[in-house]
Amino acid sequence: MSSDATPPSHDPGPPTESDTGFEPENVLAPEVHTPPTDKGYGRAGRNLPVAIAVGVGLGAAVVFSLWLFHWGFVALVAAGLSLAALELHNALGRLGVRTAIVPIVVGTVVMVGASYAAGLADSPRLPANLIMLSVLAFMVIIALLWRMRRGPDGFVRDASGSLFIIGYVPLLGSFVGLLLSGDNGVARVVTFIAAVVFSDIGGYVAGVLFGKHPMAPVISPKKSWEGFAGSIVFSVGASVLLSIFVLGVPWWVGIIIGVVLVGVGTCGDLVESLVKRDVGIKDMSSFLPGHGGVMDRIDSLLLAAPAAWLVMYILVPGG
């Protein structure tokens, strides 16, 4: 998630077909393009009313699925990760990389569902981590075999792109299923999401109001150290309250959760920024009005999910 804001920068436009020598195949994914960087939205750099409306809608879908039907939330996660994988497929296609997107999307759905189901039925004979590792191994094998039919030309390039998507999206995202399947799973997922969302809010507010010192100007000019400080304050505050009143653990656990997820989530934002700068695009897609693509919204959550699971596994009883 892009959590901070200073005056919008002007990224280079996307390469043309003549630049890459390849026109990416579009498999059900929103077309990757670069919208104008400034439409008169001020320092926010985006249409705030639309962005807020979309954010509220997504939040409502998450809340109701967690409240009413856990498998519905798992389906929502699987759908979001599948769209993110499709966006990465199209983005890499601009560099001439042809990933095995069909088995990747199918494997993403299977892996998210398997992580949740395995966590529910975890046993010494067949632990959840072994099931996840098996699904991951089969995804890699099928992706490599899928690419064999095109011959040796560009095999390493395309196979590397496929493995990059597999490791980046379904592997990291599947830890959300493990979080939900544990004892008090809803509380764990809510804490995880809230810590990252409040980091985004705090970073955005502090970045707009006080952002003067860029954190990584070459990678993401909009991110500032002032925004990072705002992320820590907001995320730690939310995590402490949720730790006490929702997770039922000491307040200091919330400090650890907040600090860890802000650090890892910020790295997730920077990683996606590097991908977009390498490809030459501003947003992964325009699928979410006011936000960009699905990857633009879950970049921080992806890297934060394994960290959240590990911290809560160690510090929250019943993990």
Side-chain angles (χ1 to χ4, degrees):
M1 295 184 185
S2 297
S3 58
D4 307 327
T6 58
S9 63
H10 296 280
D11 292 338
T16 62
E17 182 179 346
S18 61
D19 294 327
T20 61
F22 172 74
E23 181 180 358
E25 55 181 305
N26 184 11
V27 187
L28 303 180
E31 190 66 33
V32 178
H33 70 284
T34 305
T37 57
D38 190 354
K39 294 184 178 181
Y41 300 144
R43 298 190 71 185
R46 54 178 167 167
N47 190 327
L48 279 180
V50 173
I52 292 172
V54 172
V56 170
L58 291 174
V62 169
V63 169
F64 279 108
S65 60
L66 282 174
W67 178 30
L68 299 174
F69 183 45
H70 291 178
W71 275 106
F73 175 75
V74 173
L76 186 65
V77 171
L81 294 178
S82 297
L83 286 170
L86 287 165
E87 290 174 349
L88 276 175
H89 162 76
N90 272 359
L92 295 179
R94 303 179 77 87
L95 301 177
V97 181
R98 305 181 69 181
T99 65
I101 190 58
V102 174
I104 288 175
V105 168
V106 173
T108 296
V109 174
V110 172
M111 191 162 188
V112 174
S115 67
Y116 176 60
L120 291 177
D122 199 8
S123 67
R125 295 187 60 186
L126 195 61
N129 54 5
L130 180 60
I131 294 177
M132 289 179 61
L133 185 62
S134 300
V135 175
L136 176 65
F138 277 105
M139 285 182 67
V140 171
I141 292 171
I142 294 173
L144 293 175
L145 296 178
W146 188 272
R147 176 55 183 79
M148 285 177 61
R149 59 196 175 101
R150 295 200 188 104
D153 186 26
F155 178 83
V156 173
R157 175 198 63 203
D158 297 342
S160 298
S162 295
L163 299 187
F164 170 68
I165 296 179
I166 291 172
Y168 192 4
V169 179
L171 175 60
L172 299 181
S174 63
F175 279 87
V176 178
L178 285 181
L179 276 172
L180 181 61
S181 64
D183 292 342
N184 207 13
V186 173
R188 293 167 185 265
V189 171
V190 168
T191 302
F192 153 63
I193 295 176
V196 178
V197 169
F198 274 89
S199 171
D200 185 32
I201 295 172
Y204 178 77
V205 172
V208 168
L209 297 178
F210 310 111
K212 293 182 180 179
H213 300 87
M215 174 183 289
V218 175
I219 301 174
S220 182
K222 295 181 181 180
K223 296 193 72 63
S224 66
W225 285 108
E226 292 82 1
F228 183 70
S231 293
I232 292 179
V233 171
F234 274 58
S235 182
V236 168
S239 299
V240 167
L241 292 175
L242 287 167
S243 294
I244 296 173
F245 297 108
V246 176
L247 291 176
V249 295
W251 60 271
W252 55 265
V253 174
I255 294 179
I256 296 176
I257 292 174
V259 171
V260 169
L261 296 193
V262 168
V264 178
T266 300
C267 290
D269 187 13
L270 293 175
V271 166
E272 199 221 8
S273 294
L274 282 169
V275 173
K276 292 189 292 186
R277 284 194 170 276
D278 188 22
V279 174
I281 56 177
K282 180 180 183 293
D283 294 324
M284 280 293 180
S285 77
S286 57
F287 185 76
L288 298 174
H291 292 267
V294 175
M295 270 298 301
D296 297 311
R297 291 302 91 202
I298 69 171
D299 52 1
S300 298
L301 291 166
L302 278 176
L303 266 69
W309 175 82
L310 180 61
V311 170
M312 295 188 200
Y313 181 82
I314 295 173
L315 299 178
V316 179

